[in-house]
Amino acid sequence: MCAEQVGAEHSHVVNLDSRALMCSCRACYLLFSDPEAQLRYRAVPERYLRFDGLPLDERTWDELQIPVGLAFLFRNSLQERTIAFYPGPAGATESELPLDAWDTIVRANPELAVLRPDVEALLVRRSKGPDGSSCHLVPIDACYELVGRLRTLWRGFDGGREAHDAMDAFFAQVADRSRPAVLDGGRG
């Protein structure tokens, strides 16, 4: 965004029109960090939250009509709707299905309303077994980082062992960074 050199550890901003993530120096990042500002770019925050006990059972998941067990959902402010993506061998695939059930889930779980449009996503991994499903609020760039990792490792129909190991490692990192989501005036 400017002539400043960007190091390996850096922040990102989202171009709201193109949905592109852009690397930025700290000064440029801070220019776009006011969530209320009506700007073309928005800074991606570094907040990680976990939603323990979120009832995304099979019935609820089926109502969302997402055909896989891993997805991220975020609010697109320009389209004024929630969009779901899921990773695959070609990258992030947008679900073309209507997400009417999402509004019902948010009404039943108001803590989900803390998602900041365009820059934070709800990352959901459904799994059977003792650990069950996991649900985290993460920065949108983390979702695309996961998509990139999986794309390079994907083999066969379901991704293969390496892709599943990468998902396990990624979710372990997310869990380590996450704090419990709480209702505190919408800021979590």
Coordinates of all heavy atoms in Angstrom, one line a residue, residues 109-173:
N109 N -28.3 -18.2 18.9 CA -27.0 -18.1 19.5 C -26.4 -16.7 19.3 O -25.6 -16.5 18.5 CB -26.0 -19.1 18.9 CG -26.5 -20.5 19.0 OD1 -26.3 -21.2 20.1 ND2 -27.2 -21.0 18.0
P110 N -26.9 -15.7 20.1 CA -26.6 -14.3 19.8 C -25.1 -14.0 19.9 O -24.7 -13.0 19.4 CB -27.4 -13.5 20.8 CG -27.9 -14.5 21.8 CD -27.9 -15.9 21.2
E111 N -24.4 -14.8 20.6 CA -22.9 -14.6 20.7 C -22.2 -14.6 19.3 O -21.2 -14.0 19.1 CB -22.2 -15.6 21.6 CG -22.3 -17.0 21.2 CD -23.5 -17.8 21.7 OE1 -24.5 -17.1 22.0 OE2 -23.5 -19.0 21.8
L112 N -22.9 -15.2 18.3 CA -22.3 -15.2 17.0 C -22.4 -13.9 16.3 O -21.8 -13.7 15.3 CB -23.0 -16.3 16.1 CG -22.9 -17.7 16.6 CD1 -23.7 -18.7 15.7 CD2 -21.4 -18.1 16.6
A113 N -23.2 -13.0 16.8 CA -23.4 -11.7 16.2 C -22.2 -10.8 16.4 O -22.1 -9.7 15.8 CB -24.6 -11.0 16.8
V114 N -21.1 -11.3 17.0 CA -19.9 -10.5 17.2 C -19.0 -10.5 16.0 O -18.0 -9.8 16.0 CB -19.1 -10.8 18.5 CG1 -20.0 -10.7 19.7 CG2 -18.6 -12.2 18.4
L115 N -19.3 -11.3 15.0 CA -18.5 -11.4 13.8 C -18.4 -10.0 13.1 O -19.4 -9.4 12.8 CB -19.0 -12.4 12.8 CG -18.8 -13.9 13.1 CD1 -19.7 -14.7 12.2 CD2 -17.4 -14.2 12.8
R116 N -17.2 -9.5 12.9 CA -17.1 -8.2 12.2 C -17.2 -8.5 10.7 O -16.4 -9.4 10.2 CB -15.7 -7.6 12.5 CG -15.7 -7.2 14.0 CD -14.3 -6.7 14.4 NE -14.3 -6.5 15.8 CZ -13.2 -6.5 16.6 NH1 -12.0 -6.8 16.0 NH2 -13.3 -6.3 17.9
P117 N -18.0 -7.8 10.0 CA -18.2 -8.0 8.6 C -16.9 -8.0 7.8 O -16.1 -7.1 8.1 CB -19.2 -6.9 8.1 CG -19.8 -6.5 9.4 CD -18.8 -6.7 10.5
D118 N -16.8 -8.8 6.8 CA -15.7 -8.8 5.8 C -14.3 -9.3 6.4 O -13.5 -9.7 5.6 CB -15.5 -7.4 5.2 CG -16.8 -6.9 4.6 OD1 -17.4 -7.6 3.7 OD2 -17.3 -5.8 5.0
V119 N -14.1 -9.2 7.6 CA -12.7 -9.4 8.2 C -12.6 -10.5 9.2 O -11.5 -11.0 9.5 CB -12.1 -8.1 8.8 CG1 -11.9 -7.1 7.7 CG2 -13.0 -7.6 9.9
E120 N -13.7 -11.0 9.7 CA -13.7 -12.2 10.6 C -14.7 -13.2 10.1 O -15.7 -12.9 9.5 CB -14.1 -11.7 12.0 CG -13.1 -10.9 12.7 CD -13.5 -10.5 14.1 OE1 -14.7 -10.3 14.4 OE2 -12.6 -10.4 14.9
A121 N -14.4 -14.5 10.3 CA -15.2 -15.6 9.9 C -15.5 -16.6 11.0 O -14.7 -16.6 12.0 CB -14.5 -16.3 8.7
L122 N -16.5 -17.3 10.8 CA -16.8 -18.4 11.7 C -16.3 -19.6 11.0 O -16.7 -20.0 10.0 CB -18.3 -18.5 12.0 CG -18.7 -19.5 13.1 CD1 -18.2 -19.0 14.4 CD2 -20.2 -19.7 13.1
L123 N -15.3 -20.2 11.6 CA -14.6 -21.4 11.0 C -15.2 -22.6 11.8 O -15.1 -22.8 13.0 CB -13.1 -21.4 11.2 CG -12.3 -22.5 10.7 CD1 -12.4 -22.7 9.2 CD2 -10.8 -22.3 11.1
V124 N -15.9 -23.5 11.0 CA -16.6 -24.7 11.6 C -16.0 -25.9 11.0 O -15.9 -26.1 9.8 CB -18.1 -24.6 11.3 CG1 -18.8 -25.7 12.0 CG2 -18.6 -23.3 11.8
R125 N -15.7 -26.9 11.9 CA -15.3 -28.2 11.5 C -16.1 -29.2 12.2 O -16.2 -29.3 13.4 CB -13.8 -28.4 11.9 CG -13.3 -29.7 11.4 CD -11.8 -29.9 11.8 NE -11.2 -31.1 11.2 CZ -10.0 -31.6 11.6 NH1 -9.4 -31.0 12.5 NH2 -9.5 -32.6 11.0
R126 N -16.9 -29.9 11.4 CA -17.8 -31.0 11.9 C -17.0 -32.3 12.0 O -16.3 -32.6 11.0 CB -19.0 -31.1 11.1 CG -19.9 -29.9 11.1 CD -21.3 -30.1 10.7 NE -21.9 -31.2 11.4 CZ -22.4 -32.3 10.9 NH1 -22.3 -32.5 9.6 NH2 -23.0 -33.2 11.6
S127 N -17.1 -33.0 13.1 CA -16.4 -34.3 13.1 C -17.2 -35.2 14.1 O -17.8 -34.7 15.0 CB -15.0 -34.1 13.6 OG -14.9 -33.5 14.9
K128 N -17.1 -36.4 13.8 CA -17.7 -37.4 14.6 C -16.7 -37.9 15.6 O -15.5 -37.8 15.3 CB -18.3 -38.6 13.8 CG -19.4 -38.1 12.9 CD -19.8 -39.3 12.0 CE -21.0 -39.0 11.2 NZ -21.0 -37.9 10.3
G129 N -17.1 -38.3 16.7 CA -16.1 -38.8 17.7 C -16.1 -38.0 19.0 O -17.0 -37.1 19.2
P130 N -15.2 -38.3 19.9 CA -15.2 -37.7 21.2 C -15.0 -36.2 21.2 O -15.5 -35.5 22.1 CB -14.0 -38.4 21.9 CG -13.1 -38.9 20.9 CD -14.0 -39.2 19.7
D131 N -14.2 -35.7 20.3 CA -14.0 -34.2 20.2 C -15.1 -33.4 19.7 O -15.3 -32.3 19.9 CB -12.7 -33.9 19.5 CG -11.5 -34.5 20.1 OD1 -11.5 -34.7 21.4 OD2 -10.5 -34.7 19.4
G132 N -15.9 -34.1 18.9 CA -17.1 -33.4 18.2 C -16.7 -32.3 17.3 O -15.6 -32.2 16.8
S133 N -17.6 -31.4 17.1 CA -17.3 -30.3 16.2 C -16.6 -29.1 16.9 O -16.7 -29.0 18.1 CB -18.7 -29.8 15.6 OG -19.3 -30.8 14.9
S134 N -15.9 -28.3 16.1 CA -15.3 -27.1 16.7 C -15.8 -25.9 15.9 O -16.0 -26.0 14.7 CB -13.8 -27.2 16.7 OG -13.3 -27.3 15.4
C135 N -15.9 -24.8 16.6 CA -16.4 -23.6 16.0 C -15.6 -22.4 16.6 O -15.6 -22.2 17.8 CB -17.9 -23.4 16.3 SG -18.6 -22.0 15.6
H136 N -15.0 -21.6 15.7 CA -14.1 -20.5 16.1 C -14.4 -19.3 15.3 O -14.6 -19.4 14.1 CB -12.6 -20.9 16.0 CG -12.2 -22.1 16.8 ND1 -11.7 -21.9 18.1 CD2 -12.2 -23.4 16.6 CE1 -11.4 -23.1 18.6 NE2 -11.7 -24.0 17.7
L137 N -14.3 -18.2 15.9 CA -14.2 -16.9 15.2 C -12.7 -16.7 15.0 O -11.9 -16.7 15.9 CB -14.8 -15.8 16.1 CG -14.7 -14.4 15.5 CD1 -15.9 -13.5 16.0 CD2 -13.4 -13.7 15.8
V138 N -12.4 -16.4 13.7 CA -11.0 -16.3 13.3 C -10.9 -15.1 12.3 O -11.8 -14.7 11.7 CB -10.4 -17.5 12.7 CG1 -10.4 -18.7 13.7 CG2 -11.1 -17.9 11.4
P139 N -9.7 -14.5 12.2 CA -9.5 -13.5 11.2 C -9.6 -14.2 9.8 O -9.3 -15.3 9.6 CB -8.0 -13.1 11.4 CG -7.6 -13.5 12.8 CD -8.5 -14.7 13.1
I140 N -10.2 -13.4 8.9 CA -10.5 -14.0 7.5 C -9.2 -14.5 6.9 O -9.2 -15.5 6.1 CB -11.2 -13.0 6.6 CG1 -11.8 -13.7 5.4 CG2 -10.3 -11.8 6.2 CD1 -13.0 -14.5 5.7
D141 N -8.0 -13.9 7.1 CA -6.8 -14.3 6.5 C -6.4 -15.7 7.0 O -5.8 -16.5 6.3 CB -5.7 -13.3 6.6 CG -5.4 -12.9 8.1 OD1 -6.0 -13.3 9.0 OD2 -4.5 -12.0 8.2
A142 N -6.8 -16.1 8.2 CA -6.5 -17.4 8.7 C -7.2 -18.5 7.9 O -6.7 -19.5 7.6 CB -6.9 -17.5 10.2
C143 N -8.5 -18.1 7.5 CA -9.2 -19.1 6.7 C -8.5 -19.3 5.3 O -8.4 -20.4 4.9 CB -10.6 -18.5 6.4 SG -11.6 -18.4 8.0
Y144 N -8.1 -18.2 4.7 CA -7.4 -18.4 3.4 C -6.0 -19.0 3.6 O -5.5 -19.7 2.7 CB -7.3 -17.0 2.7 CG -8.7 -16.6 2.2 CD1 -9.4 -15.6 2.8 CD2 -9.3 -17.4 1.2 CE1 -10.6 -15.2 2.4 CE2 -10.6 -17.0 0.8 CZ -11.2 -16.0 1.3 OH -12.5 -15.6 0.9
E145 N -5.4 -18.9 4.8 CA -4.2 -19.6 5.0 C -4.4 -21.1 5.0 O -3.7 -21.9 4.4 CB -3.6 -19.2 6.4 CG -2.3 -19.9 6.8 CD -1.9 -19.6 8.2 OE1 -2.3 -18.6 8.8 OE2 -1.1 -20.4 8.7
L146 N -5.5 -21.5 5.7 CA -5.9 -22.9 5.7 C -6.2 -23.4 4.3 O -5.7 -24.5 3.9 CB -7.1 -23.1 6.7 CG -7.7 -24.5 6.7 CD1 -6.7 -25.6 7.2 CD2 -8.9 -24.6 7.6
V147 N -6.9 -22.6 3.6 CA -7.3 -23.0 2.2 C -6.0 -23.3 1.4 O -5.9 -24.2 0.7 CB -8.2 -22.0 1.6 CG1 -8.3 -22.2 0.1 CG2 -9.6 -22.0 2.2
G148 N -5.0 -22.3 1.5 CA -3.8 -22.5 0.8 C -3.0 -23.7 1.2 O -2.5 -24.4 0.3
R149 N -2.9 -24.0 2.5 CA -2.2 -25.2 3.0 C -2.9 -26.4 2.4 O -2.2 -27.3 1.9 CB -2.3 -25.3 4.5 CG -1.4 -24.4 5.2 CD -1.4 -24.8 6.7 NE -0.8 -23.8 7.5 CZ -0.8 -23.8 8.8 NH1 -1.3 -24.9 9.4 NH2 -0.3 -22.8 9.5
L150 N -4.2 -26.5 2.5 CA -4.9 -27.7 2.0 C -4.8 -27.9 0.5 O -4.7 -29.0 0.0 CB -6.4 -27.7 2.4 CG -6.6 -27.7 3.9 CD1 -8.1 -27.6 4.2 CD2 -6.0 -29.0 4.5
R151 N -4.8 -26.8 -0.2 CA -4.7 -26.8 -1.7 C -3.4 -27.5 -2.1 O -3.4 -28.3 -3.1 CB -4.8 -25.4 -2.3 CG -4.9 -25.5 -3.8 CD -5.2 -24.1 -4.3 NE -5.4 -24.2 -5.8 CZ -5.0 -23.3 -6.6 NH1 -4.5 -22.2 -6.2 NH2 -5.1 -23.5 -7.9
T152 N -2.3 -27.2 -1.4 CA -1.0 -27.7 -1.8 C -0.9 -29.2 -1.5 O -0.1 -29.9 -2.1 CB 0.2 -26.9 -1.2 OG1 0.1 -27.0 0.2 CG2 0.1 -25.5 -1.6
L153 N -1.7 -29.7 -0.5 CA -1.5 -31.0 0.0 C -2.6 -32.0 -0.5 O -2.5 -33.2 -0.3 CB -1.6 -31.0 1.5 CG -0.5 -30.3 2.3 CD1 -0.7 -30.2 3.7 CD2 0.9 -30.9 2.0
W154 N -3.7 -31.4 -1.1 CA -4.9 -32.2 -1.4 C -4.6 -33.3 -2.4 O -4.0 -33.1 -3.4 CB -5.9 -31.3 -2.0 CG -7.3 -31.8 -2.0 CD1 -7.9 -32.7 -2.9 CD2 -8.3 -31.5 -1.0 NE1 -9.2 -33.0 -2.5 CE2 -9.5 -32.3 -1.3 CE3 -8.3 -30.7 0.2 CZ2 -10.6 -32.3 -0.6 CZ3 -9.5 -30.7 0.9 CH2 -10.6 -31.5 0.5
R155 N -5.1 -34.5 -2.0 CA -4.9 -35.7 -2.9 C -6.3 -36.5 -2.8 O -6.9 -36.6 -1.7 CB -3.8 -36.6 -2.4 CG -2.4 -36.0 -2.3 CD -1.9 -35.7 -3.7 NE -0.6 -35.1 -3.6 CZ -0.4 -33.8 -3.6 NH1 -1.4 -32.9 -3.7 NH2 0.8 -33.3 -3.6
G156 N -6.7 -36.9 -3.9 CA -7.9 -37.7 -4.0 C -9.2 -37.0 -3.7 O -9.2 -35.7 -3.7
F157 N -10.2 -37.7 -3.4 CA -11.6 -37.1 -3.2 C -11.7 -36.3 -1.9 O -12.2 -35.3 -1.9 CB -12.6 -38.3 -3.2 CG -14.0 -37.8 -3.1 CD1 -14.6 -37.1 -4.1 CD2 -14.7 -38.0 -1.9 CE1 -15.9 -36.6 -3.9 CE2 -16.0 -37.5 -1.7 CZ -16.6 -36.8 -2.7
D158 N -11.1 -36.9 -0.8 CA -11.3 -36.2 0.5 C -10.1 -35.5 1.0 O -10.1 -35.0 2.1 CB -11.8 -37.2 1.6 CG -10.7 -38.2 2.0 OD1 -9.6 -38.3 1.4 OD2 -10.8 -38.8 3.1
G159 N -9.1 -35.3 0.2 CA -7.9 -34.6 0.6 C -6.7 -35.5 0.9 O -5.6 -35.1 0.8
G160 N -7.0 -36.6 1.5 CA -5.9 -37.5 1.8 C -5.3 -37.3 3.2 O -5.7 -36.3 3.9
R161 N -4.5 -38.2 3.6 CA -3.9 -38.1 5.0 C -3.2 -36.8 5.3 O -3.3 -36.3 6.4 CB -3.0 -39.4 5.2 CG -2.3 -39.5 6.5 CD -3.2 -40.0 7.7 NE -4.1 -39.0 8.0 CZ -5.2 -38.9 8.8 NH1 -5.5 -39.8 9.5 NH2 -6.0 -38.0 9.0
E162 N -2.3 -36.4 4.4 CA -1.5 -35.2 4.6 C -2.4 -33.9 4.8 O -2.2 -33.1 5.7 CB -0.6 -34.9 3.5 CG 0.7 -35.7 3.5 CD 1.6 -35.3 2.4 OE1 1.5 -35.8 1.3 OE2 2.5 -34.5 2.7
A163 N -3.5 -33.8 4.0 CA -4.4 -32.7 4.2 C -5.1 -32.8 5.5 O -5.3 -31.8 6.2 CB -5.4 -32.7 3.0
H164 N -5.5 -34.0 5.9 CA -6.2 -34.1 7.2 C -5.3 -33.8 8.4 O -5.7 -33.2 9.4 CB -6.8 -35.5 7.3 CG -8.1 -35.7 6.5 ND1 -9.3 -35.3 6.9 CD2 -8.2 -36.1 5.2 CE1 -10.2 -35.5 6.0 NE2 -9.6 -36.0 4.9
D165 N -4.0 -34.2 8.3 CA -3.0 -33.9 9.3 C -2.8 -32.4 9.4 O -2.7 -31.8 10.5 CB -1.7 -34.6 9.0 CG -1.8 -36.1 9.3 OD1 -2.7 -36.6 9.9 OD2 -0.8 -36.8 8.8
A166 N -2.8 -31.7 8.2 CA -2.6 -30.3 8.2 C -3.8 -29.6 8.8 O -3.7 -28.6 9.6 CB -2.4 -29.8 6.8
M167 N -5.0 -30.1 8.6 CA -6.2 -29.6 9.2 C -6.1 -29.7 10.8 O -6.4 -28.8 11.5 CB -7.5 -30.3 8.7 CG -8.0 -29.7 7.5 SD -9.7 -30.4 7.1 CE -9.2 -31.9 6.3
D168 N -5.7 -30.9 11.2 CA -5.6 -31.2 12.7 C -4.6 -30.2 13.3 O -4.9 -29.6 14.3 CB -5.1 -32.6 12.9 CG -6.2 -33.6 12.6 OD1 -7.4 -33.3 12.4 OD2 -5.8 -34.8 12.4
A169 N -3.4 -30.0 12.6 CA -2.4 -29.1 13.1 C -3.0 -27.6 13.1 O -2.7 -26.9 14.1 CB -1.1 -29.2 12.3
F170 N -3.6 -27.2 12.1 CA -4.2 -25.9 12.0 C -5.2 -25.6 13.1 O -5.2 -24.6 13.8 CB -4.8 -25.7 10.6 CG -5.3 -24.3 10.4 CD1 -4.5 -23.3 10.0 CD2 -6.6 -23.9 10.7 CE1 -4.9 -21.9 9.9 CE2 -7.1 -22.6 10.5 CZ -6.2 -21.6 10.1
F171 N -6.1 -26.6 13.3 CA -7.1 -26.4 14.3 C -6.5 -26.4 15.7 O -7.0 -25.8 16.7 CB -8.3 -27.4 14.2 CG -9.3 -26.9 13.2 CD1 -9.2 -27.2 11.9 CD2 -10.4 -26.2 13.7 CE1 -10.2 -26.7 11.0 CE2 -11.4 -25.7 12.8 CZ -11.2 -26.0 11.5
A172 N -5.4 -27.2 15.9 CA -4.7 -27.1 17.2 C -4.2 -25.7 17.5 O -4.3 -25.2 18.6 CB -3.6 -28.2 17.3
Q173 N -3.6 -25.1 16.4 CA -3.1 -23.7 16.6 C -4.2 -22.8 16.9 O -4.1 -21.9 17.7 CB -2.4 -23.3 15.3 CG -1.0 -24.0 15.1 CD -0.4 -23.6 13.7 OE1 -1.1 -23.2 12.8 NE2 0.9 -23.8 13.6

